[in-house]
Amino acid sequence: MAKEEAFWRGDRKWHHSLASTFRRKTLHLAMSSNPANPSPLSHSLVLPTQPHEPVQIAAAPGVTDSQFRTAIESSLFKQWLTNLQSETGVLANGAASLKHVLIQGVDMFGNRLGFLKFKADIFDKETGEKVPGIVFARGPAVAVLVLLDSEDTTYAVLTEQVRVPIGRYILELPAGMLDDDNGDFVGTAVREVEEETGIQLNLNEMIDLTAFLDSSTGNRVFPSPGGCDEDLGIFMYRGRVDKEKIEQLQGKETGLRDRGELIKVRVIPYQKLWQSTADAKVLVAIALYEMAKKNGLLPPAK
């Protein structure tokens, strides 16, 4: 893959290579710093799909220079641009154009970017109308359906924790965001199960349920594509344990306390799972598991 260069123009210039899908194209970024402008940070970039229509990127008031640079150099933002220009992307066939992006919020998780909020002005060329373009970017994540057979009952292992956005506790699958840009979905799945339930699994024991989807889907699930870019890999594990293990798991307190995770493990009979929670990850996992089982796609039980 050819390397593209990003050029920042200000008091000084520097260059760095970007690994992206902009093959044999140059990504031009220009910075202005006008003290009279309440939103002084702005850039211009040229996309391969619309080489004669530069995209203006600006920072909303309150977004610092450092946050702005972090946002537009982040894998979250680059992946969003890549998605727009992919084979099935909004900009792929030339029917729409991206005019402007406003970076509105940047949330850091320590030294790394956690969440990114921005507004994109994309126009349909036929009608001239702007399409909805408010984006909450958080990137890829995983969720794991853990099923444990004990005596004559199959149990699902869930987590119970407070979710401030909905203002309540909710039962969920063990889940978490990918911590880096390496795309290690299965490794993240194993780690999240251990952190949130205490159950130690091996990589080769995980079954990727989203791998059974048609390749046109990207083999990922989008929980809320109207506002969020999050794409989920849904995995499952099924094993056998004695009744004592089920009792030990029930109500167990887990989670990374230094990250504010206050989690309790809940164990529910699988037959009651679909009625027990409003977590979309659970319901998607049930649907994928049942359809994969019905179509004979699951590997033989060990």
Side-chain angles (χ1 to χ4, degrees), residues 108-121:
M108 302 299 294
F109 291 178
N111 294 323
R112 69 182 183 89
L113 178 64
F115 300 145
L116 177 61
K117 169 73 162 50
F118 58 92
K119 185 177 181 181
D121 291 339

Side-chain angles (χ1 to χ4, degrees), residues 2 11 24 67 104 112 156 178 201-202 243:
D11 294 334
R24 295 178 296 278
Q67 290 174 331
Q104 298 173 308
R112 69 182 183 89
L178 269 65
L201 302 177
N202 296 319
K243 197 69 173 181

Side-chain angles (χ1 to χ4, degrees), residues 108-141:
M108 302 299 294
F109 291 178
N111 294 323
R112 69 182 183 89
L113 178 64
F115 300 145
L116 177 61
K117 169 73 162 50
F118 58 92
K119 185 177 181 181
D121 291 339
I122 295 179
F123 291 85
D124 179 86
K125 290 185 177 180
E126 182 177 353
T127 65
E129 296 293 326
K130 185 169 68 172
V131 299
I134 296 175
V135 182
F136 170 51
R138 58 176 294 163

Side-chain angles (χ1 to χ4, degrees), residues 18 22 31 46 64 90 168 188 227 230 252 272 280 285 291 300:
L18 299 175
F22 304 153
M31 167 171 275
V46 176
T64 67
V90 175
R168 55 183 287 189
T188 302
E230 181 180 43
K252 181 179 180 180
K272 297 181 179 180
M291 291 307 297

Side-chain angles (χ1 to χ4, degrees), residues 229-244:
D229 73 328
E230 181 180 43
D231 60 295
L232 280 170
I234 307 289
F235 293 81
M236 75 158 292
Y237 163 82
R238 187 164 187 171
R240 178 167 294 279
V241 298
D242 55 33
K243 197 69 173 181
E244 183 181 1

Side-chain angles (χ1 to χ4, degrees), residues 157-159 174 192-199 249 252 254 265:
V157 181
L158 304 179
T159 64
E192 291 297 334
V193 169
E194 182 173 1
E195 289 178 358
E196 297 191 358
T197 70
I199 298 173
L249 285 171
K252 181 179 180 180
T254 63
V265 179

